[in-house]
Each structure stands twice: as C-alpha cells, then as structure tokens.
C-alpha cells in the first residue's frame, strides 16, 4: 500500500482511510508564532496581577480581599489557558465524506461541501483574517454561513481533496 502524504493522518479507520473513498482525511494547520508570544505575555501579566494581589495585603486593602483577587486572577488564567492552549495540540482541517471541519483547539467549525463557494489565497488585509492563530499563507474558505482562514501544511492536497468532493468550488491562487 502507498504511504500517506507527509503530515497527513487518518482517523484509524483502516487502510482505506487515505484512498478518498469517503473516509475522513486530516491535514494539519500551521499555527502562527505570535499566538505563543501572546499567551506567554498574557500568562505573565495575570501571574503578576495575582502576585500583586497577594502582596497587596501589606497595604491599605481590607483583610481577606487579596485572596479573592488572587482566586479571580487564577480563575481567569485557567479559563484562558483551557481555551487557547489546546490549539497547540489540536489544529487541523478534516475532510470527511460530506463535510469539511476546521478544528483549532476547542473551536470547531464545519460545513457541507455543497455550501462552499471558494477557497482563496487572496485575503484582503482589511478583513479580520489579517491575523488569525494560523501561520502566513492562509487559505480563506468561504461559503454559505461559513468563513474561515487556515494555513494548511499541504495546499495542493487540500485543493485536490476539496475539488474531489465538490468540483464546483472555485480555487483562487495567489500568483506571486
């Protein structure tokens, strides 16, 4: 049997998972480095706020209030980390039999292939896609009630699989 393309994994559905017979195909998404920097700075800021709350008991605050401030700060830190850190472990586009799913940590958006209009590398800088947690070179997937931008590791495989599942999807490539 032929080996799967580098960086592409099946879901453990057997040897036919990569053959395009309807089994899901996962293509990893590249994560932008700025997400790591942002998370490190945010964690340092919140940890500093917690430390300041705990050390603030020597100042003019009412007694016992510093523990509440520290608990709120630690709760915010935990919630933010629980939402963002999974993006480093789970980041891929899954091409199933009838649906495309974009998974970034706890965020999962999916749509039917029939509802996808374009897959475009031409993303206007004025849109919200100028910064996403994905790396540069993102592909904008636009459809009915669906609009996502992802930087897949293998664009050609992604385009081939999209067109295999819906030949009416318009592919717009960056000509640079």
């Amino acid at each position: 049997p032929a080996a799967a393309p580098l960086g592409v994994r099946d879901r453990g559905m057997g040897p036919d998972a990569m053959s395009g017979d309807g089994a899901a195909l996962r293509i990893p998404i590249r994560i932008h480095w700025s997400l790591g920097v942002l998370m490190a700075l945010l964690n340092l800021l919140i940890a500093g706020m917690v430390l300041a709350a705990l050390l603030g008991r020597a100042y003019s605050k009412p007694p016992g209030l510093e523990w509440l401030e520290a608990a709120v700060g630690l709760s915010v830190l935990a919630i933010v980390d629980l939402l963002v850190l999974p993006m480093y472990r789970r980041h891929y586009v899954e091409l199933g039999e009838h649906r495309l799913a974009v998974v970034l940590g706890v965020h999962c958006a999916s749509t039917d292939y029939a509802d996808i209009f374009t897959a475009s590398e031409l993303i206007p800088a004025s849109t919200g896609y100028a910064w996403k947690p994905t790396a540069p070179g993102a592909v904008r997937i636009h459809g009915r009630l669906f609009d996502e931008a992802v930087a897949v590791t293998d664009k050609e495989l992604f385009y081939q699989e999209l067109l295999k599942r819906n030949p009416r999807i318009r592919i717009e490539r960056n000509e640079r």
Side-chain angles (χ1 to χ4, degrees), residues 14-164:
D16 297 328
M18 305 304 277
S19 65
D21 62 352
L25 172 72
R26 287 184 180 178
I27 301 175
I29 296 172
R30 294 188 323 267
I31 301 295
H32 197 276
W33 62 268
S34 63
L35 180 65
V37 171
L38 180 66
M39 283 306 300
L41 291 175
L42 187 62
N43 281 333
L44 286 173
L45 176 68
I46 294 173
M49 291 169 61
V50 168
L51 187 61
L54 290 175
L55 295 177
R57 66 177 177 203
Y59 299 107
S60 62
K61 294 184 182 180
L65 189 60
E66 66 275 355
W67 296 108
L68 177 64
E69 289 178 14
V72 168
L74 289 174
S75 298
V76 168
L77 180 67
I79 290 169
V80 169
D81 284 350
L82 286 173
L83 292 175
V84 177
L85 291 180
M87 286 186 193
Y88 289 103
R89 287 195 19 239
R90 295 184 57 210
H91 50 275
Y92 55 86
V93 172
E94 184 171 274
L95 297 117
E97 187 173 347
H98 301 288
R99 295 183 67 81
L100 169 96
V102 176
V103 178
L104 278 170
V106 296
H107 170 72
C108 180
S110 65
T111 188
D112 291 330
Y113 295 112
D115 293 339
I116 298 174
F117 306 133
T118 60
S120 174
E121 297 173 15
L122 310 172
I123 301 173
S126 63
T127 65
Y129 298 107
W131 186 89
K132 278 285 213 177
T134 58
V139 175
R140 178 182 178 197
I141 307 161
H142 178 70
R144 184 178 308 131
L145 302 175
F146 187 84
D147 206 0
E148 290 285 333
V150 293
V152 291
T153 57
D154 190 342
K155 284 184 187 179
E156 292 307 314
L157 176 64
F158 178 66
Y159 293 149
Q160 288 173 7
E161 292 295 326
L162 272 181
L163 290 174
K164 186 187 306 181

